[in-house]
Amino acid sequence: MQLANQTFYIAIFIVLVGLMARFLAKKEDDRAHFKSIYWPAGLSFLAASMLVYAIAPWGGKGVLVLANIFLVAGVANISLLFCYWNKSLTKSSKLIAIVLFAIASVADISLQLFGTPQDRIHLMNIVLGIFGLWQISVLSQIHKKDNAYQIKLLLIVEVIEFGTRVARSLLTLGDLEYLGGFYQEDGWAFLMRIVSILALTTICILITNYYLEKVLHEYRRSSWAIEDGMLKSLNALSMVRDNETGNHILRTKNYVRALAERLKASGVYEDQLSKKAIDYIVKAAPLHDIGKVGIPDSILKKPGSLTDEEWQTMKTHAGLGRDVLTAAKLKDAKHTHVLDAAIQIAGCHHEAWDGSGYPQGLKGEEIPLAARLMSLADTYDALVNERVYKKEWSHDEACAEIASLKGKRFDPLVVEAFMQEKENFLRISEMYSDAP
């Protein structure tokens, strides 16, 4: 039985050291999420207690006292950690933890000298039970504010751990008078001790998992913030170089959303038009003409028709836009869905369904859906608004022109969606009109 106990505690020690290694291996910016000293301190004390429990049979009563003290210190730190999470960590809560720890330490030393194994087991179960009830109370408050599954599981495991300590005390009331120490426990009392330690280890694993998920969430939020800031900067650059207005951006974004949502509602391209995918496309839409940053002002702002040579230069803006955005994408970057959509839109929104477009002459569904949506939205906006090279068309004239290009320039299904949304297009055009 002694060998089984020692093997068990060594196994738990290895698990806890593994969790500590996971913490120590984190980079400084990640360890900000572990900035509460109570977690690494608690984990260290618990790991030390398991190791000392394993060697206690060879070290005598003094070593067992040290193991118990480490165990209480570890559980006390976890209690304070939960208070830290709950933003309820005060001087009084720290004082309570210190007083409980001091009382438990002095009492355990006294019982090692003058008490029985039952007395020492009851003492530890009472002290750890008090900390357990404290942890359950604080976790219940945290759960009201944070519905994370780890918090729910922590509550469940804490209740189990508390229950096993109560059960173990009840089971040892009359069973250990003949024992020289708790390593000789067997039956249900032994099982309760094992379950309580496993529950405590599970609590440590859940805490680590909770922290890691917070770190992952922060990475994602940071990644999104970086991408959003970069896209806004690129969009501002595009606006400086383009002769279109800010309202053009607002109109085309809304046109693209209307088309995408109509297609989705009609059961068309559903696999490509999830709610998130639509949001990515709409967010990327303003960058469709970012490539114009590489077009000379003499062509870009020419107040009339372009020569053939100038038009060939103007057409390079699609490829330039694709290259600019591709260069902005960090190598091995993750969560760049908006930037990926922007690359497709900028590079392909002048491609035509029948393959007559530019810059690559893509045909049909070779053209990314995001670009096919942008192509129609951009064309409609160009038709119904005045440009330096043309007068504005009426809404009906623009609708007729787009209908005539069905299957030629535009995806037939996108044109059908447009025809169902044409009144919405008119409303958006009027809402964000350039007219003073």
Side-chain angles (χ1 to χ4, degrees):
M1 182 60 70
Q2 179 173 302
L3 180 59
N5 275 278
Q6 289 178 292
T7 302
F8 171 74
Y9 283 116
I10 286 293
I12 297 300
F13 167 73
I14 292 172
V15 171
L16 295 178
V17 167
L19 296 178
M20 177 56 72
R22 180 67 182 87
F23 165 71
L24 294 175
K26 297 301 292 178
K27 296 178 181 179
E28 285 301 319
D29 56 342
D30 294 342
R31 279 164 55 184
H33 295 272
F34 295 85
K35 60 185 176 181
S36 169
I37 188 62
Y38 304 110
W39 173 229
L43 198 55
S44 300
F45 280 124
L46 290 175
S49 72
M50 295 301 110
L51 179 61
V52 177
Y53 276 129
I55 64 175
W58 304 323
K61 291 183 178 181
V63 175
L64 188 58
V65 169
L66 188 61
N68 288 339
I69 289 174
F70 282 157
L71 178 60
V72 173
V75 173
N77 273 279
I78 289 178
S79 299
L80 294 175
L81 172 68
F82 290 164
C83 289
Y84 176 81
W85 286 1
N86 192 43
K87 294 181 172 57
S88 59
L89 184 62
T90 61
K91 289 183 178 180
S92 60
S93 58
K94 295 177 186 178
L95 181 61
I96 291 171
I98 292 172
V99 170
L100 279 173
F101 171 73
I103 291 173
S105 300
V106 172
D108 191 58
I109 293 171
S110 300
L111 291 177
Q112 288 291 343
L113 296 173
F114 308 110
T116 65
Q118 296 101 313
D119 295 332
R120 295 193 293 274
I121 289 172
H122 293 322
L123 170 67
M124 292 302 295
N125 285 336
I126 289 171
V127 173
L128 295 176
I130 292 172
F131 278 116
L133 288 174
W134 185 5
Q135 291 169 13
I136 290 170
S137 174
V138 177
L139 283 170
S140 297
Q141 297 173 37
I142 295 172
H143 183 252
K144 295 177 182 178
K145 298 175 284 187
D146 188 344
N147 202 32
Y149 76 90
Q150 294 96 337
I151 302 299
K152 296 177 183 177
L153 290 176
L154 278 169
L155 270 169
I156 294 171
V157 177
E158 287 281 4
V159 171
I160 292 173
E161 204 264 349
F162 176 78
T164 58
R165 295 202 174 278
V166 173
R168 185 176 176 223
S169 281
L170 293 175
L171 289 167
T172 57
L173 284 175
D175 289 345
L176 291 183
E177 293 182 1
Y178 64 93
L179 296 181
F182 77 92
Y183 282 106
Q184 298 169 5
E185 282 180 297
D186 57 14
W188 286 103
F190 171 76
L191 178 62
M192 290 300 100
R193 175 157 56 86
I194 296 301
V195 171
S196 67
I197 296 298
L198 287 175
L200 189 57
T201 306
T202 302
I203 289 168
C204 292
I205 293 171
L206 287 170
I207 291 171
T208 300
N209 183 269
Y210 180 73
Y211 268 125
L212 292 179
E213 189 162 297
K214 291 293 184 183
V215 169
L216 179 60
H217 174 74
E218 186 64 24
Y219 270 139
R220 286 176 176 168
R221 188 171 66 174
S222 176
S223 175
W224 292 331
I226 291 171
E227 183 186 35
D228 189 57
M230 179 177 63
L231 291 173
K232 285 181 178 178
S233 297
L234 289 170
N235 187 41
L237 175 63
S238 176
M239 290 293 293
V240 168
R241 293 287 291 119
D242 200 353
N243 52 14
E244 301 289 2
T245 67
N247 283 339
H248 167 72
I249 298 298
L250 294 174
R251 290 192 299 266
T252 51
K253 284 177 61 174
N254 282 280
Y255 295 152
V256 166
R257 182 178 291 280
L259 289 173
E261 291 181 347
R262 171 59 66 177
L263 287 168
K264 181 177 176 61
S266 301
V268 178
Y269 300 129
E270 283 184 289
D271 58 330
Q272 300 179 60
L273 293 173
S274 65
K275 185 179 183 303
K276 284 187 176 180
I278 293 173
D279 288 340
Y280 297 147
I281 293 170
V282 171
K283 198 171 182 179
L287 291 170
H288 62 282
D289 277 338
I290 183 67
K292 289 183 178 178
V293 297
I295 304 300
D297 282 349
S298 59
I299 296 175
L300 189 63
K301 299 183 178 182
K302 184 177 180 179
S305 299
L306 301 178
T307 65
D308 290 342
E309 184 178 351
E310 290 171 335
W311 176 237
Q312 290 303 315
T313 301
M314 175 62 83
K315 287 167 66 175
T316 64
H317 82 275
L320 288 172
R322 179 194 62 229
D323 294 343
V324 166
L325 294 172
T326 301
K329 184 175 178 179
L330 298 176
K331 184 180 180 181
D332 299 326
K334 293 179 173 57
H335 312 298
T336 57
H337 306 292
V338 176
L339 188 55
D340 290 337
I343 291 169
Q344 294 177 345
I345 289 172
C348 301
H349 71 288
H350 285 295
E351 301 287 357
W353 185 257
D354 63 4
S356 62
Y358 65 89
Q360 301 177 72
L362 300 179
K363 185 177 181 181
E365 293 193 9
E366 293 176 351
I367 308 167
L369 179 57
R372 304 199 307 264
L373 297 173
M374 189 71 232
S375 176
L376 192 149
D378 195 35
T379 298
Y380 174 83
D381 199 64
L383 291 174
V384 299
N385 287 280
E386 185 175 354
R387 296 288 186 268
V388 292
Y389 54 85
K390 59 169 283 295
K391 293 183 178 181
E392 66 181 66
W393 292 23
S394 70
H395 170 71
D396 290 337
E397 289 172 332
C399 290
E401 177 67 9
I402 289 173
S404 72
L405 295 173
K406 178 180 180 181
K408 298 176 183 176
R409 179 167 182 181
F410 304 121
D411 179 345
L413 294 177
V414 174
V415 174
E416 290 176 15
F418 166 74
M419 297 309 291
Q420 293 174 295
E421 289 288 322
K422 62 181 182 179
E423 296 306 317
N424 192 20
F425 268 58
L426 176 60
R427 181 186 62 79
I428 293 168
S429 177
E430 293 173 343
M431 180 181 299
Y432 299 109
S433 172
D434 289 331

